[in-house]
Amino acid sequence: MSTDRRSFLRGSIVTGLGLGVPAVATAQRDKTYRTALIGSGWWGTNILREAAASGRCRIAALVDVDRRQLDKCAAEVAKWVSDRPRLYEDYREMLAKEKPDIAIVATPDHWHPLAMIDAVKAGAHVYVEKPIGHTVREGRAMVQAARATNRVVQVGTHRRISPHNVSGRKFLQEGGAGKIAMVRCFVLYGGDGPEQPRQNVEPPQELNWDLWCGPAPRRPYNGDTGRGGGIHPRGFRQYLDYGNGTLGDWGVHWLDQVLWIMERKWPRTVFSSGGRPIKGPPILTDQEQTTDAPDHQVATYGFDDLTVTWEHRQFAGNPAEKTESVGCFFYGTKGTFHMGWQKGWTFYPLGKGRQEIHEEPRLNQPDSQNIKELWADFLQAIETGRRPLCDIEEIHRSTNLSLLGMLSLKLGRSVRWDGEKEVCVGDPQANALLRREYRKPWVYPGDL
């Protein structure tokens, strides 16, 4: 590696970590924050682990509608700290009794908006998982609530602070790949063939299924074998009542990278197509059900001088594409840049014989993430009054890209997007899909 290359990497990594870690280490070292976790499953526990490791957070409460998740999380907490958090089924009761300084919202997607809005109204700063909500109007209500209460709301798009993402952004913005006119975002994990319906069963006694469904439609419960199977605890995103499929899950991370790196806010046009030719038509009866998210999808986003595409597919595995199965290709006049995850980034320069440039990732375990650094940025934002790196408004825009892609898929046609007003131009049918009715007694944000 050349001296110039080493200097570039050192500078970019320092720049990235300077977003939060050094300042927090020296600011108000004696101040701690009473912290509550709303949604105590696998990913919520990952976030809480980093909050505890910061040494700045006292774990006051855990919330989950599934007692099994609560007990498992509480057992993990006992390994890290001496705190004895109180356990709750309903986050609203927790907010009223505990009045935490910080709330982590790591519920399924359809609960993010109400939990975040209620938490900031109760006085808490919030770290909320992505995607921020299920519909566009929910996201706008979340931004408005954060601003009205003057609370810091950080979203868990931790790739914005991962060292190789930060240095890759610097490389692209300094013209390393030349002028970028197209970006392809993708997740290419293979599938396992046609989907067999799962039998609907009675929820376990430890799970309050009605509260789990909350403001979303109340589907029958179909077991808890996890991703690719039952709805709860990890399969929910493939059921469109509760998530927005792979585009709503993975897409938010990678489309956010595009907006962040290319410094864009919103596209002018959106078109998406896809379906379920492998998994088969969705089924929902009193006796059995399948998922209903598309097994493949392509979305195209038209900006003034940039074309962005999203692609996922769950057919057979695809070893023919030699790069990592997730990420973004930035196509430039000087070559092609791949921003990846567990394999870092690589630049493939134009012209035979030219040396590729590569940077390895620096990820934390478990689950190969950089929550630690994003949590440090969150604390610094609280203490200085600045906006966090993954501020709710910026990630609202990134989430909108995924939601608009799903909206176009449902309509079966393209839409024109006015990002300033957040409406589909001249399209009442499309605008009706920017929100949805909540199941009573829950009230859609802004309808009070």
Side-chain angles (χ1 to χ4, degrees):
M1 183 186 295
S2 69
T3 302
D4 288 347
R5 175 69 182 138
R6 290 192 186 96
S7 299
F8 168 76
L9 287 179
R10 281 198 302 269
S12 56
I13 289 172
V14 168
T15 299
L17 296 184
L19 289 167
V21 177
V24 171
T26 58
Q28 302 184 38
R29 293 180 180 177
D30 58 338
K31 184 173 178 59
T32 59
Y33 298 90
R34 298 182 69 257
T35 302
L37 173 62
I38 302 171
S40 300
W42 152 70
W43 195 252
T45 301
N46 274 348
I47 301 168
L48 191 67
R49 182 183 293 108
E50 298 298 353
S54 73
R56 312 289 309 287
C57 300
R58 184 161 64 86
I59 303 173
L62 307 176
V63 183
D64 206 286
V65 298
D66 189 337
R67 185 71 196 201
R68 298 167 300 177
Q69 302 275 17
L70 266 182
D71 291 343
K72 184 177 180 180
C73 185
E76 283 295 306
V77 169
K79 297 175 185 178
W80 317 328
V81 292
S82 60
D83 303 339
R84 294 184 177 274
R86 293 186 178 89
L87 307 185
Y88 292 87
E89 181 180 83
D90 191 321
Y91 78 84
R92 295 168 296 183
E93 180 186 5
M94 182 278 293
L95 291 174
K97 290 184 177 179
E98 301 295 338
K99 302 189 186 312
D101 302 308
I102 291 174
I104 300 166
V105 176
T107 62
D109 301 354
H110 66 286
W111 263 116
H112 290 173
L114 291 183
M116 189 230 91
I117 291 170
D118 287 343
V120 296
K121 287 182 176 178
H125 301 284
V126 176
Y127 183 112
V128 61
E129 256 311 302
K130 63 82 205 166
I132 65 167
H134 194 273
T135 57
V136 171
R137 293 280 184 260
E138 289 173 321
R140 177 46 54 187
M142 295 167 80
V143 174
Q144 291 171 342
R147 300 297 184 252
T149 57
N150 197 29
R151 298 293 88 184
V152 173
V153 179
Q154 177 90 290
V155 185
T157 43
H158 51 86
R159 284 174 175 80
R160 284 196 176 205
I161 207 165
S162 295
H164 79 272
N165 295 76
V166 172
S167 69
R169 179 180 189 244
K170 183 174 186 290
F171 179 87
L172 289 169
Q173 289 190 341
E174 291 181 349
K179 177 177 173 54
I180 305 297
M182 180 178 174
V183 185
R184 178 168 73 100
C185 307
F186 58 94
V187 170
L188 304 179
Y189 293 138
D192 53 4
E195 182 179 358
Q196 300 302 313
R198 295 177 57 82
Q199 292 295 311
N200 299 327
V201 297
E202 287 297 314
Q205 291 184 348
E206 300 93 339
L207 172 64
N208 185 334
W209 181 241
D210 188 74
L211 190 54
W212 188 99
C213 294
R218 192 185 193 281
R219 275 179 174 255
Y221 178 75
N222 67 344
D224 58 358
T225 58
R227 185 174 297 168
I231 299 171
H232 170 73
R234 290 175 65 178
F236 67 89
R237 287 195 177 95
Q238 298 304 314
Y239 296 79
L240 297 182
D241 286 331
Y242 310 117
N244 275 287
T246 304
L247 178 55
D249 178 16
W250 275 104
V252 176
H253 275 303
W254 299 110
L255 292 167
D256 177 62
Q257 286 284 291
V258 176
L259 296 189
W260 179 56
I261 291 169
M262 301 301 294
E263 296 185 335
R264 301 299 198 276
K265 291 184 177 181
W266 47 70
R268 294 181 295 103
T269 60
V270 181
F271 174 70
S272 182
S273 62
R276 293 173 57 92
I278 300 299
K279 290 186 177 295
I283 295 171
L284 176 58
T285 70
D286 291 339
Q287 291 74 42
E288 61 185 14
Q289 63 181 305
T290 64
T291 64
D292 54 358
D295 58 29
H296 76 287
Q297 187 173 6
V298 176
T300 301
Y301 302 90
F303 296 78
D304 287 335
D305 58 348
L306 178 70
T307 299
V308 177
T309 63
W310 163 264
E311 172 188 347
H312 79 261
R313 56 180 181 264
Q314 296 167 2
F315 305 143
N318 188 27
E321 299 199 25
K322 300 299 184 182
T323 56
E324 193 173 7
S325 295
V326 299
C328 310
F329 281 117
F330 291 80
Y331 300 102
T333 54
K334 295 181 180 179
T336 299
F337 180 99
H338 173 239
M339 180 74 84
W341 172 27
Q342 293 178 322
K343 294 185 179 180
W345 63 259
T346 304
F347 175 60
Y348 303 89
L350 178 68
K352 292 183 179 180
R354 295 192 176 182
Q355 184 67 39
E356 296 174 1
I357 302 174
H358 177 75
E359 182 177 335
E360 288 292 316
R362 291 172 54 189
L363 303 168
N364 305 321
Q365 299 305 325
D367 297 308
S368 298
Q369 36 73 16
N370 288 100
I371 300 171
K372 181 188 298 294
E373 292 82 358
L374 196 60
W375 189 266
D377 176 80
F378 178 46
L379 293 184
Q380 188 191 51
I382 292 171
E383 291 165 354
T384 63
R386 67 164 173 81
R387 297 279 168 84
L389 178 63
C390 300
D391 177 64
I392 182 66
E393 185 158 21
E394 291 200 38
I395 313 306
H396 166 56
R397 296 184 191 125
S398 302
T399 301
N400 283 349
L401 290 175
S402 291
L403 300 181
L404 290 170
M406 292 304 293
L407 182 151
S408 172
L409 183 71
K410 293 172 184 176
L411 289 173
R413 57 176 172 79
S414 63
V415 295
R416 289 187 297 145
W417 182 241
D418 183 335
E420 197 72 53
K421 297 179 180 178
E422 293 188 346
V423 296
C424 297
V425 180
D427 197 334
Q429 185 183 13
N431 287 327
L433 297 178
L434 298 177
R435 55 161 292 148
R436 67 171 176 175
E437 293 301 314
Y438 271 12
R439 189 168 66 101
K440 295 181 179 179
W442 289 275
V443 178
Y444 194 88
D447 283 2
L448 289 174

